[in-house]
Amino acid sequence: MKFIGTDLERNIERDMFEYMPREYADYRESMAMVQAEAGEFEKLNDKVRDVLDQFFIDTATWGLANWERIFGIVADESKPLEQRRSVIKSKLRGYGTVTAAFIKNVAESFENGAVDVVEDAANYTVKITFIDTRGVPGNLDDIKKALRDIIPAHLAISFEFTYLRWSEFDAKNYTWSTLEAKALTWDQFERLK
C-alpha cells in the first residue's frame, strides 16, 4: 500500500513493519493485521487528500458548491467543472479599480478566455476580442455576466470573435481531400491551427 502526496511516496505497510519488533514479521497473523490496517490507512489518506483538494479552486470537485455559495454564485451542476471553476475565479479576481488590465484579468480567468481589451472612450464602449479561441467560447454567457458585474453600467460591452481565415487555411496548404480525410467537425475545423 502506498500513500502518494504532492511530493511524497510512502509504502505504509513497510513503514508499519519497521515500527514493530522484527520477530513479528515471522507470524502470518501479524502480516495479515498490518496489511488490513495499511489498507485502511490508505483509504483514510485518500479521504484526507480529497478534503484538502476542496480548499483550492483548481482541484475542488464536490466542494465547488461551497465556493459558489461564498461568492454568491447560483450553482449549476450541469456545467463542466472547469466552467464552474472559471466563474469562481472571475469573482475572486473581480474586485478593484476597473481598468483594461483588470477587465483582461477577469476575462482570462475563464477557460479559453485569452482576450484583448480595447477601451473606446468616445463611444462609451469596451471591446473584448477573444484571441485564443476560434468562434464563440462555450461559456460566453458566464464571461458576459462576470464582465457586466465589474464594468460600469454606462459602458457598453462589445464582443469580437476570431475565426479561421482563408489566408491561414491557404498557408497550411490544405486541400479539401486532406480535410475530408481528417473527418473534422465544424468546431474542430474552426480551431484548426
Side-chain angles (χ1 to χ4, degrees):
M1 304 288 170
K2 292 185 178 182
F3 169 75
I4 300 172
T6 54
D7 61 349
L8 174 69
E9 186 172 313
R10 180 176 172 198
N11 186 320
I12 294 174
E13 188 176 320
R14 184 196 66 226
D15 291 348
M16 288 175 70
F17 271 115
E18 286 180 4
Y19 286 116
M20 296 171 56
R22 298 243 183 253
E23 53 271 7
Y24 281 13
D26 297 335
Y27 298 106
R28 284 184 316 180
E29 294 85 356
S30 299
M31 292 182 71
M33 185 175 67
V34 167
Q35 287 172 343
E37 288 177 355
E40 291 301 312
F41 278 122
E42 185 173 331
K43 289 177 190 174
L44 177 64
N45 284 335
D46 289 342
K47 289 180 181 180
V48 168
R49 193 175 317 115
D50 185 42
V51 169
L52 288 175
D53 283 347
Q54 307 317 305
F55 286 92
F56 303 95
I57 296 169
D58 289 330
T59 55
T61 53
W62 54 266
L64 286 176
N66 291 329
W67 284 99
E68 290 164 332
R69 181 182 46 75
I70 290 167
F71 287 105
I73 300 167
V74 177
D76 183 357
E77 294 187 11
S78 66
K79 287 185 180 179
L81 293 177
E82 284 306 315
Q83 285 186 9
R84 291 175 64 196
R85 289 180 181 129
S86 295
V87 172
I88 294 165
K89 287 179 185 178
S90 75
K91 287 288 189 176
L92 189 63
R93 294 181 184 184
Y95 297 100
T97 304
V98 180
T99 63
F102 180 72
I103 294 168
K104 181 177 177 70
N105 188 29
V106 170
E108 289 183 347
S109 68
F110 287 89
E111 181 181 26
N112 299 321
V115 297
D116 280 332
V117 177
V118 176
E119 297 174 274
D120 183 1
N123 294 313
Y124 298 98
T125 303
V126 176
K127 182 173 75 173
I128 312 292
T129 305
F130 292 88
I131 57 176
D132 75 338
T133 301
R134 299 215 189 239
V136 179
N139 55 348
L140 181 63
D141 290 338
D142 293 332
I143 296 170
K144 284 181 177 180
K145 182 173 180 349
L147 294 178
R148 187 72 280 163
D149 286 347
I150 63 166
I151 294 175
H154 72 284
L155 296 177
I157 306 171
S158 70
F159 294 93
E160 291 188 359
F161 310 99
T162 56
Y163 296 94
L164 182 65
R165 296 185 184 110
W166 280 114
S167 59
E168 293 175 274
F169 181 78
D170 288 341
K172 296 286 186 181
N173 294 321
Y174 286 126
T175 64
W176 287 113
S177 58
T178 306
L179 288 175
E180 286 176 358
K182 291 181 182 251
L184 302 172
T185 65
W186 184 253
D187 285 340
Q188 292 168 328
F189 177 73
E190 281 184 324
R191 287 162 176 70
L192 194 61
K193 292 187 180 184

